Amino acid sequence: MLRLFQQHQIRKVTELDGMWDFVMDGFSGRYRLPVPGCFEQHPDFLDYRGTGSYTRPLYLDKDCNLRLEFKGVSHTADVYFDDEKIARHYNAFTPFSAVVKNAKQGAHTLRVDVDNTFGEASSLHVPNDYYTYGGITRPVAMEEVSDVYIKYIHFTPYKTNNIWHADIEARLCNLSDTEKNATLALELFPDSANSRPSESAGKAVAPELTMQAAVPADSEVTLTFTQEFPDVVPWSHLNPALYYCRAVLSVDGAAVDDLIERVGFRKIRTSGRQLLVNEEPVFLMGFNRHEDYAAVGCAIPLQLMVQDMDLMEAAGANAVRTCHYPNDERFLDLCDERGMLVWEENHARGFTLERMENPNFDRQCEDCIREMIENHYNHPSIVIWGILNECASETEIGREKYARQYAQIAALDASRPRTSATCRHLKDICLDLPDIVSFNMYSGWYQDVPIDETNRQEIEWINASGGADKPIIVSELGAAAIYGYRDRSRCKWSEERQSDIIRENLKVYMADPDITGVFIWQFADCRVTEEEWFATRARCHNNKGVVDEYRRPKIAYDTVSEMFHECKR
Ligand code: ADA
């Protein structure tokens, strides 16, 4: 399953989840591994960092244009179709695709070489306070696409004269060597499972939109529609009403392709210290959540995503931060359905200037941002785009990179505010750049400092450094505890002390009118790389979860739940 809803009724899609043949360079054995999956799940590869090859047969029952969609391969993929290289992709956390024009009917072989090694070629996957797994870690599908097909649809809702409208951008691709006359028809239907019962359930909520366009040979064109939708129910975290936007592409009068997206009518903007969802201020009470689960690594199946969502909702959270990379679209679909507000961010954690000056860094960040926004644009739950967690924002060269990435996001999507979580306290020189200022602060854990006083000093610094009239989010606060370690001394690393520190921090931040949201670091314990991290990470895990890596709650889970449910903001 690639998404939580059907995206095609005309285009033929075959999901390629299942057992694939696998060989690991340097190992003589031949294996069968599950896809999606991390190869670390196999006892021979528990902590292996290297290169391996997944292979499986494909059978085409007719000549066709074959499109392969990969939702995530960790961390570098080289894709071969019958030994012809058809794609290369870096970054475990963003989707990519490849098209084989006029693939012949019959049996073929698909091979994916994966590489999770560290080195200069990889500027974003580095030894870090989370683990870079190896494998085809998210779903894969093959599709038969017509000569002209729909590459993507971007749906931008907004209100004019108190009536909902949307700008709808459709990107068409012509694979053939002749110009094609295409007609695109769009309709919008309520997702009755996720919208308030309304008389429009099941019926289109606006007249069908159609547009003709000539698509030149071997090229792509963008069609833009604007339509008012007077009768729709808005999406919010309190009532996550969703709609299906269905596009049907016809050539010479015959329907040849389609694409169904799921959207929500909501407008996000900032006003002074406030973050507004449909003009209503919201106080974010969230968790930082790594895609990591004890038994399956980063290849989290839907069942366990749902368990995480249920636990976060039960704790009273209304937000989640996809620390520190774009997430699996099935989880984002869940957030859309449940009304969980999302801060999604590009892939970066804790880079010094030296690491930011890796010759691959700028391009790899740019690719990640483009793929994140192009693929995740329509999720109504994503309300903030983030970049560069705790990178070198205290340096001029770092500032140039922050500014470039903020500008790239604004060019791709002007409808959402941007932020970045800083830890360059009292020396950050980038706070004038984002729409929202966010900071990570571990008062009581790394620094035994008075929380309120430290917070006041930070906010005064923010006010003097370009953030005076912007929302402020505490993007990380927390402490570590080893699951099951109780100690009446309430010493650090005990569950009791973790609960105390989180309670004291939440008391200050939730009562501060200058702060519009908090994200607990972190939801669940996660694996980290031994290199550089073993000394401060017992068990080679980041143990600041309020649940452990098996989602067993610590005392702090109940403390957060008590505080979030009592919050009256
Ligand atoms: C930083 C970082 C997190 C995590 C945290 C910690 O704020 O953003 O990824 O490493 O520190 O646990 O210390």
Side-chain angles (χ1 to χ4, degrees):
M1 172 191 285
L2 281 75
R3 300 293 299 275
L4 299 196
F5 60 94
Q6 184 184 9
Q7 285 207 287
H8 300 283
Q9 293 167 336
I10 296 173
R11 188 185 302 183
K12 182 182 177 186
V13 179
T14 306
E15 298 196 3
L16 301 180
D17 295 2
M19 300 303 288
W20 290 40
D21 291 325
F22 182 78
V23 291
M24 181 75 89
D25 297 339
F27 288 70
S28 55
R30 302 186 68 78
Y31 298 82
R32 293 273 288 167
L33 296 185
V35 169
C38 303
F39 58 58
E40 289 85 355
Q41 191 183 325
H42 190 285
D44 292 357
F45 310 130
L46 297 173
D47 63 350
Y48 192 72
R49 202 159 289 289
T51 54
S53 290
Y54 288 84
T55 307
R56 62 157 290 153
L58 294 183
Y59 185 81
L60 302 180
D61 53 19
K62 67 179 183 185
D63 293 1
C64 68
N65 298 314
L66 177 68
R67 181 178 182 273
L68 292 159
E69 170 86 5
F70 295 88
K71 290 298 185 181
V73 179
S74 189
H75 65 56
T76 297
D78 287 303
V79 182
Y80 298 83
F81 180 73
D82 293 342
D83 294 329
E84 179 199 353
K85 189 165 182 178
I86 60 172
R88 178 170 176 81
H89 183 267
Y90 172 77
N91 207 326
F93 304 116
T94 48
F96 67 99
S97 61
V99 174
V100 179
K101 290 186 190 177
N102 198 23
K104 295 306 178 192
Q105 182 272 345
H108 298 274
T109 300
L110 175 62
R111 188 179 107 225
V112 182
D113 294 349
V114 302
D115 177 354
N116 76 335
T117 59
F118 296 141
E120 188 182 75
S122 171
S123 72
L124 305 179
H125 288 280
V126 300
N128 221 325
D129 200 13
Y130 64 92
Y131 198 83
T132 286
Y133 292 93
I136 302 177
T137 50
R138 292 182 184 168
V140 187
M142 73 175 188
E143 304 172 344
E144 295 177 11
V145 291
S146 54
D147 281 347
V148 184
Y149 73 95
I150 305 167
K151 190 172 181 184
Y152 64 71
I153 290 172
H154 285 170
F155 187 96
T156 309
Y158 58 92
K159 246 186 180 179
T160 301
N161 302 325
N162 208 30
I163 291 177
W164 283 105
H165 290 66
D167 290 338
I168 306 169
E169 186 181 89
R171 186 77 171 168
L172 308 184
C173 176
N174 183 357
L175 298 170
S176 74
D177 55 9
T178 57
E179 180 171 281
K180 301 285 185 183
N181 291 314
T183 300
L184 194 70
L186 286 173
E187 283 190 290
L188 201 78
F189 300 88
D191 170 3
S192 50
N194 233 69
S195 305
R196 272 201 300 253
S198 73
E199 68 291 340
S200 64
K203 287 186 309 200
V205 291
E208 181 179 270
L209 305 169
T210 58
M211 188 178 288
Q212 277 77 30
V215 189
D218 289 325
S219 66
E220 296 186 4
V221 299
T222 297
L223 308 186
T224 303
F225 301 76
T226 295
Q227 173 67 29
E228 69 172 38
F229 296 93
D231 301 326
V232 294
V233 174
W235 185 97
S236 80
H237 51 299
L238 304 173
N239 179 39
L242 293 168
Y243 290 83
Y244 292 112
C245 177
R246 180 169 184 247
V248 176
L249 177 65
S250 302
V251 174
D252 302 332
V256 296
D257 193 33
D258 68 343
L259 176 59
I260 299 167
E261 284 289 348
R262 199 165 63 173
V263 300
F265 288 85
R266 96 279 178 265
K267 179 66 186 162
I268 310 299
R269 73 181 182 93
T270 63
S271 171
R273 289 289 196 219
Q274 294 185 321
L275 175 65
L276 302 177
V277 178
N278 298 337
E279 296 306 296
E280 292 295 324
V282 60
F283 183 79
L284 301 177
M285 297 183 287
F287 287 104
N288 284 279
R289 174 182 177 268
H290 266 296
E291 288 185 332
D292 190 303
Y293 198 109
V296 294
C298 69
I300 300 181
L302 177 63
Q303 304 90 308
L304 298 179
M305 289 181 192
V306 173
Q307 181 188 52
D308 283 358
M309 179 64 76
D310 290 342
L311 282 168
M312 290 191 288
E313 276 190 333
N318 62 9
V320 62
R321 177 182 176 216
T322 69
C323 60
H324 298 291
Y325 37 75
N327 267 203
D328 187 310
E329 279 214 80
R330 293 169 296 170
F331 183 73
L332 298 174
D333 285 340
L334 266 181
C335 292
D336 294 341
E337 293 181 2
R338 302 287 189 95
M340 186 65 78
L341 300 170
V342 177
W343 158 341
E344 187 166 55
E345 62 185 28
N346 76 341
H347 179 199
R349 186 215 160 274
F351 295 139
T352 59
L353 183 57
E354 182 186 6
R355 281 207 189 279
M356 294 179 88
E357 291 188 300
N358 173 308
N360 299 299
F361 179 81
D362 290 339
R363 173 177 47 78
Q364 290 176 342
C365 284
E366 185 180 322
D367 290 346
C368 179
I369 289 171
R370 184 183 65 256
E371 292 163 348
M372 173 175 74
I373 294 178
E374 181 173 305
N375 287 279
H376 296 175
Y377 188 92
N378 294 326
H379 289 281
S381 57
I382 298 175
V383 296
I384 296 172
W385 294 121
I387 60 169
L388 299 176
N389 175 76
E390 294 200 343
C391 295
S393 56
E394 80 284 13
T395 68
E396 286 301 337
I397 294 173
R399 177 181 168 87
E400 287 168 18
K401 296 175 185 289
Y402 274 79
R404 183 182 308 126
Q405 293 190 24
Y406 282 132
Q408 183 191 3
I409 291 178
L412 292 170
D413 177 9
S415 73
R416 292 174 169 99
R418 302 153 299 165
T419 191
S420 176
T422 184
C423 70
R424 283 6 187 220
H425 304 302
L426 312 186
K427 56 188 179 184
D428 195 304
I429 61 171
C430 295
L431 301 186
D432 59 314
L433 298 173
D435 306 297
I436 296 172
V437 173
S438 302
F439 64 88
N440 299 337
M441 189 66 82
Y442 286 88
S443 302
W445 178 252
Y446 290 122
Q447 306 90 15
D448 284 321
V449 293
I451 301 166
D452 199 358
E453 194 179 307
T454 306
N455 182 45
R456 279 291 103 211
Q457 187 185 43
E458 185 82 3
I459 289 177
E460 281 161 21
W461 165 257
I462 289 169
N463 290 339
S465 309
D469 62 342
K470 296 177 181 177
I472 298 174
I473 291 175
V474 183
S475 32
E476 295 179 26
L477 66 98
I482 300 295
Y483 174 77
Y485 175 47
R486 302 288 176 87
D487 193 309
R488 293 173 67 79
S489 75
R490 310 184 84 86
C491 60
K492 285 188 177 178
W493 292 96
S494 68
E495 287 194 29
E496 292 87 344
R497 185 66 166 277
Q498 181 190 37
S499 165
D500 295 346
I501 291 171
I502 288 176
R503 180 184 297 279
E504 292 313 305
N505 276 271
L506 286 180
K507 270 186 197 167
V508 169
Y509 297 135
M510 294 170 88
D512 188 331
D514 280 322
I515 288 173
T516 197
V518 294
F519 287 86
I520 307 291
W521 185 275
Q522 63 174 326
F523 171 64
D525 292 350
C526 71
R527 187 175 177 184
V528 306
T529 52
E530 186 179 283
E531 308 93 305
E532 301 180 19
W533 290 91
F534 73 94
T536 60
R537 295 292 184 268
R539 312 183 301 135
C540 278
H541 272 69
N542 181 306
N543 298 286
K544 297 189 183 71
V546 296
V547 302
D548 77 352
E549 62 271 25
Y550 293 93
R551 274 54 180 175
R552 297 178 298 186
K554 303 174 189 174
I555 294 173
Y557 175 85
D558 294 324
T559 304
V560 171
S561 178
E562 174 200 324
M563 305 281 289
F564 278 0
H565 281 102
E566 283 176 358
C567 182
K568 297 291 179 270
R569 293 186 64 175

